[in-house]
Amino acid sequence: MTSIRSGDYVEVIRAAIDRVTSSQADLVAHAADLMTATLQAGGVIQAFGCGHSEALAMEIAGRAGGLVPTNRIALRDIVLYGGDPSTVLADPQLERTPTVAHRLYDLAPVKPDDTFVIASNSGVNGAVVEMAQLVKQRGHALIAITSLEHSSRVDSRHESGMKLSDFADVVLDNGAPYGDASLPLPGGGAVGAVSSITAALLAQQIVTEVVARLLALGVTPPVYLSDNVPGGREHNAALEARYAGRIRRTA
């Protein structure tokens, strides 16, 4: 039997990080340019992902070291803000339902100058593709984070036949393999997912580049401190007040 060791996974991740950072540098810079222009115009960064890709939205919006003018859009918003019964969230087909994208967009505090960051490893499910299409129809800049290897090997689940990457102004490849998991198992399948780590890396690279651009422009970056350091909560509350009604922070 082939042995599986955590060290093997570490090597895979190291290689993925090296591959992503070297191949995506110019695209990260382009994404940072779009986001910087948005913030300079008074806009907000809207982040969206379903399933495990919601972790990307959490990496963008509302965390220590991150930008304050950011907002996370999540499937549960149709319950929190739309009044739907919580039982709808038990539907495993929800992220494959295109119409939910319109509900989420309409419920979100979106303004014309906002830029969207949408993450989906496969880039083919109905809600994500519909959101991407809607975002571009409404005139927003769109940054996609996806696995080009996986997306290229599966069919779209959207009626248009389109995928997330087809709509984006910037497509960032998270370098994850087909199926996301990286270490093959003897009986079939694999273990050791890649996309969450590399997508978070890309998100943090973009944010760092945005902050660098703001500093170069002589602008004090609106960046969160941890709530769990002295003065952090007060610092964050003062910055959030500038964007009242534009950003939401939920559990």
Side-chain angles (χ1 to χ4, degrees), residues 1 12 22 36-37 43 46 62 78 92 104-105 108 117 121 132-133 143 158 169 186 197-198 203 210 216-217 242 244:
M1 178 180 291
V12 166
S22 62
T36 302
Q46 303 284 347
I78 62 175
L104 293 171
Y105 184 95
V117 181
N121 196 57
Q133 180 174 260
I143 299 160
H158 190 267
D169 298 286
I197 293 174
T198 51
V210 170
L217 292 168
R242 301 180 189 175

PDB file of all heavy atoms in Angstrom, residues 1 12 22 36-37 43 46 62 78 92 104-105 108 117 121 132-133 143 158 169 186 197-198 203 210 216-217 242 244:
ATOM      1  N   MET A   1       0.845  -1.200   0.000  1.00  0.00           N
ATOM      2  CA  MET A   1       0.000   0.000   0.000  1.00  0.00           C
ATOM      3  C   MET A   1       0.882   1.252   0.000  1.00  0.00           C
ATOM      4  O   MET A   1       1.868   1.325   0.726  1.00  0.00           O
ATOM      5  CB  MET A   1      -0.916  -0.001   1.235  1.00  0.00           C
ATOM      6  CG  MET A   1      -1.797   1.244   1.328  1.00  0.00           C
ATOM      7  SD  MET A   1      -2.877   1.215   2.788  1.00  0.00           S
ATOM      8  CE  MET A   1      -3.998  -0.105   2.339  1.00  0.00           C
ATOM      9  N   VAL A  12       3.797  19.424  -1.699  1.00  0.00           N
ATOM     10  CA  VAL A  12       2.847  19.822  -2.749  1.00  0.00           C
ATOM     11  C   VAL A  12       2.468  21.285  -2.596  1.00  0.00           C
ATOM     12  O   VAL A  12       2.428  22.046  -3.579  1.00  0.00           O
ATOM     13  CB  VAL A  12       1.579  18.927  -2.697  1.00  0.00           C
ATOM     14  CG1 VAL A  12       0.457  19.526  -3.541  1.00  0.00           C
ATOM     15  CG2 VAL A  12       1.905  17.525  -3.180  1.00  0.00           C
ATOM     16  N   SER A  22       4.898  32.834  -8.853  1.00  0.00           N
ATOM     17  CA  SER A  22       5.696  33.191 -10.030  1.00  0.00           C
ATOM     18  C   SER A  22       4.828  33.434 -11.254  1.00  0.00           C
ATOM     19  O   SER A  22       5.107  34.342 -12.049  1.00  0.00           O
ATOM     20  CB  SER A  22       6.728  32.100 -10.330  1.00  0.00           C
ATOM     21  OG  SER A  22       6.097  30.866 -10.633  1.00  0.00           O
ATOM     22  N   THR A  36      -7.487  49.326  -6.114  1.00  0.00           N
ATOM     23  CA  THR A  36      -7.028  50.633  -5.659  1.00  0.00           C
ATOM     24  C   THR A  36      -7.871  51.741  -6.269  1.00  0.00           C
ATOM     25  O   THR A  36      -8.276  52.696  -5.577  1.00  0.00           O
ATOM     26  CB  THR A  36      -5.548  50.842  -6.030  1.00  0.00           C
ATOM     27  OG1 THR A  36      -4.760  49.798  -5.446  1.00  0.00           O
ATOM     28  CG2 THR A  36      -5.047  52.193  -5.528  1.00  0.00           C
ATOM     29  N   ALA A  37      -8.161  51.630  -7.567  1.00  0.00           N
ATOM     30  CA  ALA A  37      -9.001  52.620  -8.234  1.00  0.00           C
ATOM     31  C   ALA A  37     -10.388  52.669  -7.605  1.00  0.00           C
ATOM     32  O   ALA A  37     -10.973  53.747  -7.433  1.00  0.00           O
ATOM     33  CB  ALA A  37      -9.102  52.309  -9.721  1.00  0.00           C
ATOM     34  N   GLY A  43     -15.395  53.503  -3.540  1.00  0.00           N
ATOM     35  CA  GLY A  43     -16.118  52.234  -3.646  1.00  0.00           C
ATOM     36  C   GLY A  43     -15.672  51.226  -2.602  1.00  0.00           C
ATOM     37  O   GLY A  43     -14.766  51.468  -1.795  1.00  0.00           O
ATOM     38  N   GLN A  46     -16.472  43.984  -3.001  1.00  0.00           N
ATOM     39  CA  GLN A  46     -17.478  42.979  -2.693  1.00  0.00           C
ATOM     40  C   GLN A  46     -16.903  41.593  -2.974  1.00  0.00           C
ATOM     41  O   GLN A  46     -16.469  41.314  -4.096  1.00  0.00           O
ATOM     42  CB  GLN A  46     -18.725  43.199  -3.552  1.00  0.00           C
ATOM     43  CG  GLN A  46     -19.362  44.570  -3.430  1.00  0.00           C
ATOM     44  CD  GLN A  46     -20.146  44.754  -2.140  1.00  0.00           C
ATOM     45  OE1 GLN A  46     -20.431  43.792  -1.417  1.00  0.00           O
ATOM     46  NE2 GLN A  46     -20.499  45.986  -1.843  1.00  0.00           N
ATOM     47  N   GLY A  62     -13.149  41.906   6.330  1.00  0.00           N
ATOM     48  CA  GLY A  62     -13.374  41.919   7.768  1.00  0.00           C
ATOM     49  C   GLY A  62     -12.382  41.148   8.606  1.00  0.00           C
ATOM     50  O   GLY A  62     -12.764  40.568   9.627  1.00  0.00           O
ATOM     51  N   ILE A  78     -29.585  35.446   2.173  1.00  0.00           N
ATOM     52  CA  ILE A  78     -31.009  35.388   1.836  1.00  0.00           C
ATOM     53  C   ILE A  78     -31.853  35.092   3.074  1.00  0.00           C
ATOM     54  O   ILE A  78     -33.057  35.378   3.090  1.00  0.00           O
ATOM     55  CB  ILE A  78     -31.301  34.357   0.723  1.00  0.00           C
ATOM     56  CG1 ILE A  78     -30.924  32.933   1.146  1.00  0.00           C
ATOM     57  CG2 ILE A  78     -30.587  34.733  -0.564  1.00  0.00           C
ATOM     58  CD1 ILE A  78     -31.316  31.865   0.127  1.00  0.00           C
ATOM     59  N   PRO A  92     -28.568  21.302  -0.804  1.00  0.00           N
ATOM     60  CA  PRO A  92     -27.236  21.198  -1.399  1.00  0.00           C
ATOM     61  C   PRO A  92     -27.168  21.760  -2.817  1.00  0.00           C
ATOM     62  O   PRO A  92     -26.073  21.964  -3.352  1.00  0.00           O
ATOM     63  CB  PRO A  92     -26.958  19.694  -1.384  1.00  0.00           C
ATOM     64  CG  PRO A  92     -28.309  19.055  -1.391  1.00  0.00           C
ATOM     65  CD  PRO A  92     -29.197  19.978  -0.608  1.00  0.00           C
ATOM     66  N   LEU A 104     -29.031  37.737  -3.910  1.00  0.00           N
ATOM     67  CA  LEU A 104     -27.864  38.161  -3.143  1.00  0.00           C
ATOM     68  C   LEU A 104     -27.389  39.543  -3.578  1.00  0.00           C
ATOM     69  O   LEU A 104     -27.052  40.389  -2.738  1.00  0.00           O
ATOM     70  CB  LEU A 104     -26.732  37.145  -3.310  1.00  0.00           C
ATOM     71  CG  LEU A 104     -26.975  35.768  -2.690  1.00  0.00           C
ATOM     72  CD1 LEU A 104     -25.872  34.798  -3.110  1.00  0.00           C
ATOM     73  CD2 LEU A 104     -27.050  35.853  -1.170  1.00  0.00           C
ATOM     74  N   TYR A 105     -27.354  39.782  -4.866  1.00  0.00           N
ATOM     75  CA  TYR A 105     -26.914  41.090  -5.365  1.00  0.00           C
ATOM     76  C   TYR A 105     -27.864  42.185  -4.888  1.00  0.00           C
ATOM     77  O   TYR A 105     -27.425  43.247  -4.425  1.00  0.00           O
ATOM     78  CB  TYR A 105     -26.842  41.073  -6.888  1.00  0.00           C
ATOM     79  CG  TYR A 105     -26.311  42.356  -7.488  1.00  0.00           C
ATOM     80  CD1 TYR A 105     -24.969  42.480  -7.817  1.00  0.00           C
ATOM     81  CD2 TYR A 105     -27.146  43.444  -7.712  1.00  0.00           C
ATOM     82  CE1 TYR A 105     -24.469  43.665  -8.354  1.00  0.00           C
ATOM     83  CE2 TYR A 105     -26.659  44.627  -8.244  1.00  0.00           C
ATOM     84  CZ  TYR A 105     -25.321  44.739  -8.557  1.00  0.00           C
ATOM     85  OH  TYR A 105     -24.845  45.918  -9.083  1.00  0.00           O
ATOM     86  N   ALA A 108     -27.440  43.010  -1.183  1.00  0.00           N
ATOM     87  CA  ALA A 108     -26.142  43.538  -0.753  1.00  0.00           C
ATOM     88  C   ALA A 108     -26.093  45.057  -0.907  1.00  0.00           C
ATOM     89  O   ALA A 108     -26.767  45.627  -1.765  1.00  0.00           O
ATOM     90  CB  ALA A 108     -25.029  42.896  -1.576  1.00  0.00           C
ATOM     91  N   VAL A 117     -14.808  40.520  -6.159  1.00  0.00           N
ATOM     92  CA  VAL A 117     -13.876  39.397  -6.180  1.00  0.00           C
ATOM     93  C   VAL A 117     -14.721  38.146  -5.948  1.00  0.00           C
ATOM     94  O   VAL A 117     -15.365  38.017  -4.909  1.00  0.00           O
ATOM     95  CB  VAL A 117     -12.798  39.513  -5.089  1.00  0.00           C
ATOM     96  CG1 VAL A 117     -11.839  38.319  -5.168  1.00  0.00           C
ATOM     97  CG2 VAL A 117     -12.027  40.817  -5.219  1.00  0.00           C
ATOM     98  N   ASN A 121     -13.493  27.257  -7.121  1.00  0.00           N
ATOM     99  CA  ASN A 121     -12.451  26.381  -7.646  1.00  0.00           C
ATOM    100  C   ASN A 121     -12.814  25.848  -9.026  1.00  0.00           C
ATOM    101  O   ASN A 121     -12.000  25.865  -9.944  1.00  0.00           O
ATOM    102  CB  ASN A 121     -12.197  25.222  -6.684  1.00  0.00           C
ATOM    103  CG  ASN A 121     -10.891  24.516  -6.992  1.00  0.00           C
ATOM    104  OD1 ASN A 121      -9.830  25.141  -7.011  1.00  0.00           O
ATOM    105  ND2 ASN A 121     -10.948  23.226  -7.255  1.00  0.00           N
ATOM    106  N   ALA A 132     -21.390  36.329 -11.638  1.00  0.00           N
ATOM    107  CA  ALA A 132     -20.363  36.927 -12.489  1.00  0.00           C
ATOM    108  C   ALA A 132     -20.999  37.640 -13.679  1.00  0.00           C
ATOM    109  O   ALA A 132     -20.608  38.763 -14.021  1.00  0.00           O
ATOM    110  CB  ALA A 132     -19.390  35.850 -12.965  1.00  0.00           C
ATOM    111  N   GLN A 133     -21.953  36.997 -14.295  1.00  0.00           N
ATOM    112  CA  GLN A 133     -22.640  37.603 -15.435  1.00  0.00           C
ATOM    113  C   GLN A 133     -23.381  38.870 -15.020  1.00  0.00           C
ATOM    114  O   GLN A 133     -23.321  39.902 -15.708  1.00  0.00           O
ATOM    115  CB  GLN A 133     -23.621  36.597 -16.040  1.00  0.00           C
ATOM    116  CG  GLN A 133     -24.394  37.120 -17.225  1.00  0.00           C
ATOM    117  CD  GLN A 133     -25.243  36.027 -17.858  1.00  0.00           C
ATOM    118  OE1 GLN A 133     -24.879  35.446 -18.863  1.00  0.00           O
ATOM    119  NE2 GLN A 133     -26.396  35.743 -17.253  1.00  0.00           N
ATOM    120  N   ILE A 143     -12.852  40.417 -10.497  1.00  0.00           N
ATOM    121  CA  ILE A 143     -11.647  39.610 -10.325  1.00  0.00           C
ATOM    122  C   ILE A 143     -12.088  38.201  -9.947  1.00  0.00           C
ATOM    123  O   ILE A 143     -12.851  38.022  -8.986  1.00  0.00           O
ATOM    124  CB  ILE A 143     -10.749  40.192  -9.217  1.00  0.00           C
ATOM    125  CG1 ILE A 143     -10.315  41.616  -9.585  1.00  0.00           C
ATOM    126  CG2 ILE A 143      -9.543  39.296  -8.957  1.00  0.00           C
ATOM    127  CD1 ILE A 143      -9.841  42.435  -8.401  1.00  0.00           C
ATOM    128  N   HIS A 158     -24.238  26.197 -15.802  1.00  0.00           N
ATOM    129  CA  HIS A 158     -25.078  27.357 -16.078  1.00  0.00           C
ATOM    130  C   HIS A 158     -25.653  27.216 -17.480  1.00  0.00           C
ATOM    131  O   HIS A 158     -25.000  26.703 -18.388  1.00  0.00           O
ATOM    132  CB  HIS A 158     -24.248  28.637 -15.978  1.00  0.00           C
ATOM    133  CG  HIS A 158     -25.041  29.899 -16.008  1.00  0.00           C
ATOM    134  ND1 HIS A 158     -25.286  30.579 -17.175  1.00  0.00           N
ATOM    135  CD2 HIS A 158     -25.651  30.610 -15.013  1.00  0.00           C
ATOM    136  CE1 HIS A 158     -26.004  31.661 -16.906  1.00  0.00           C
ATOM    137  NE2 HIS A 158     -26.234  31.705 -15.603  1.00  0.00           N
ATOM    138  N   ASP A 169     -12.539  40.367 -15.537  1.00  0.00           N
ATOM    139  CA  ASP A 169     -11.526  41.279 -16.060  1.00  0.00           C
ATOM    140  C   ASP A 169     -10.130  40.760 -15.755  1.00  0.00           C
ATOM    141  O   ASP A 169      -9.196  40.978 -16.523  1.00  0.00           O
ATOM    142  CB  ASP A 169     -11.710  42.664 -15.441  1.00  0.00           C
ATOM    143  CG  ASP A 169     -13.055  43.269 -15.790  1.00  0.00           C
ATOM    144  OD1 ASP A 169     -13.234  43.691 -16.941  1.00  0.00           O
ATOM    145  OD2 ASP A 169     -13.935  43.290 -14.902  1.00  0.00           O
ATOM    146  N   PRO A 186      -4.518   4.852  -2.887  1.00  0.00           N
ATOM    147  CA  PRO A 186      -4.395   3.570  -3.599  1.00  0.00           C
ATOM    148  C   PRO A 186      -5.721   3.071  -4.190  1.00  0.00           C
ATOM    149  O   PRO A 186      -5.743   2.517  -5.279  1.00  0.00           O
ATOM    150  CB  PRO A 186      -3.876   2.619  -2.521  1.00  0.00           C
ATOM    151  CG  PRO A 186      -3.215   3.499  -1.520  1.00  0.00           C
ATOM    152  CD  PRO A 186      -3.986   4.776  -1.521  1.00  0.00           C
ATOM    153  N   ILE A 197      -5.668  27.197   0.399  1.00  0.00           N
ATOM    154  CA  ILE A 197      -4.395  27.804   0.782  1.00  0.00           C
ATOM    155  C   ILE A 197      -3.915  28.770  -0.290  1.00  0.00           C
ATOM    156  O   ILE A 197      -3.518  29.914   0.004  1.00  0.00           O
ATOM    157  CB  ILE A 197      -3.347  26.708   1.054  1.00  0.00           C
ATOM    158  CG1 ILE A 197      -3.746  25.917   2.304  1.00  0.00           C
ATOM    159  CG2 ILE A 197      -1.950  27.306   1.210  1.00  0.00           C
ATOM    160  CD1 ILE A 197      -2.878  24.734   2.603  1.00  0.00           C
ATOM    161  N   THR A 198      -3.950  28.357  -1.541  1.00  0.00           N
ATOM    162  CA  THR A 198      -3.426  29.229  -2.600  1.00  0.00           C
ATOM    163  C   THR A 198      -4.357  30.397  -2.883  1.00  0.00           C
ATOM    164  O   THR A 198      -3.894  31.492  -3.232  1.00  0.00           O
ATOM    165  CB  THR A 198      -3.183  28.426  -3.880  1.00  0.00           C
ATOM    166  OG1 THR A 198      -4.355  27.660  -4.220  1.00  0.00           O
ATOM    167  CG2 THR A 198      -1.996  27.478  -3.706  1.00  0.00           C
ATOM    168  N   ALA A 203      -5.286  36.267  -2.277  1.00  0.00           N
ATOM    169  CA  ALA A 203      -6.051  37.356  -1.666  1.00  0.00           C
ATOM    170  C   ALA A 203      -5.144  38.271  -0.852  1.00  0.00           C
ATOM    171  O   ALA A 203      -5.229  39.503  -0.947  1.00  0.00           O
ATOM    172  CB  ALA A 203      -7.160  36.789  -0.786  1.00  0.00           C
ATOM    173  N   VAL A 210      -2.440  46.470  -2.858  1.00  0.00           N
ATOM    174  CA  VAL A 210      -3.332  47.635  -2.764  1.00  0.00           C
ATOM    175  C   VAL A 210      -2.807  48.613  -1.716  1.00  0.00           C
ATOM    176  O   VAL A 210      -2.738  49.830  -1.948  1.00  0.00           O
ATOM    177  CB  VAL A 210      -4.772  47.203  -2.427  1.00  0.00           C
ATOM    178  CG1 VAL A 210      -5.639  48.423  -2.091  1.00  0.00           C
ATOM    179  CG2 VAL A 210      -5.383  46.435  -3.582  1.00  0.00           C
ATOM    180  N   ALA A 216       1.900  54.757  -1.690  1.00  0.00           N
ATOM    181  CA  ALA A 216       2.626  55.503  -2.717  1.00  0.00           C
ATOM    182  C   ALA A 216       1.875  56.761  -3.142  1.00  0.00           C
ATOM    183  O   ALA A 216       2.480  57.741  -3.585  1.00  0.00           O
ATOM    184  CB  ALA A 216       2.874  54.605  -3.926  1.00  0.00           C
ATOM    185  N   LEU A 217       0.547  56.718  -3.005  1.00  0.00           N
ATOM    186  CA  LEU A 217      -0.281  57.879  -3.339  1.00  0.00           C
ATOM    187  C   LEU A 217      -0.398  58.860  -2.177  1.00  0.00           C
ATOM    188  O   LEU A 217      -1.072  59.887  -2.292  1.00  0.00           O
ATOM    189  CB  LEU A 217      -1.677  57.410  -3.756  1.00  0.00           C
ATOM    190  CG  LEU A 217      -1.767  56.637  -5.080  1.00  0.00           C
ATOM    191  CD1 LEU A 217      -3.136  55.980  -5.222  1.00  0.00           C
ATOM    192  CD2 LEU A 217      -1.489  57.568  -6.263  1.00  0.00           C
ATOM    193  N   ARG A 242     -16.747  55.270   8.619  1.00  0.00           N
ATOM    194  CA  ARG A 242     -16.634  55.967   7.338  1.00  0.00           C
ATOM    195  C   ARG A 242     -17.451  55.288   6.241  1.00  0.00           C
ATOM    196  O   ARG A 242     -17.790  55.911   5.236  1.00  0.00           O
ATOM    197  CB  ARG A 242     -15.175  56.017   6.888  1.00  0.00           C
ATOM    198  CG  ARG A 242     -14.219  56.706   7.835  1.00  0.00           C
ATOM    199  CD  ARG A 242     -12.817  56.664   7.232  1.00  0.00           C
ATOM    200  NE  ARG A 242     -11.799  57.104   8.166  1.00  0.00           N
ATOM    201  CZ  ARG A 242     -10.496  57.063   7.896  1.00  0.00           C
ATOM    202  NH1 ARG A 242     -10.075  56.598   6.724  1.00  0.00           N
ATOM    203  NH2 ARG A 242      -9.618  57.479   8.796  1.00  0.00           N
ATOM    204  N   ALA A 244     -20.367  53.483   6.803  1.00  0.00           N
ATOM    205  CA  ALA A 244     -21.651  53.063   7.379  1.00  0.00           C
ATOM    206  C   ALA A 244     -22.676  52.819   6.272  1.00  0.00           C
ATOM    207  O   ALA A 244     -22.827  53.629   5.348  1.00  0.00           O
ATOM    208  CB  ALA A 244     -22.167  54.154   8.324  1.00  0.00           C
TER     209      ALA A 244
END
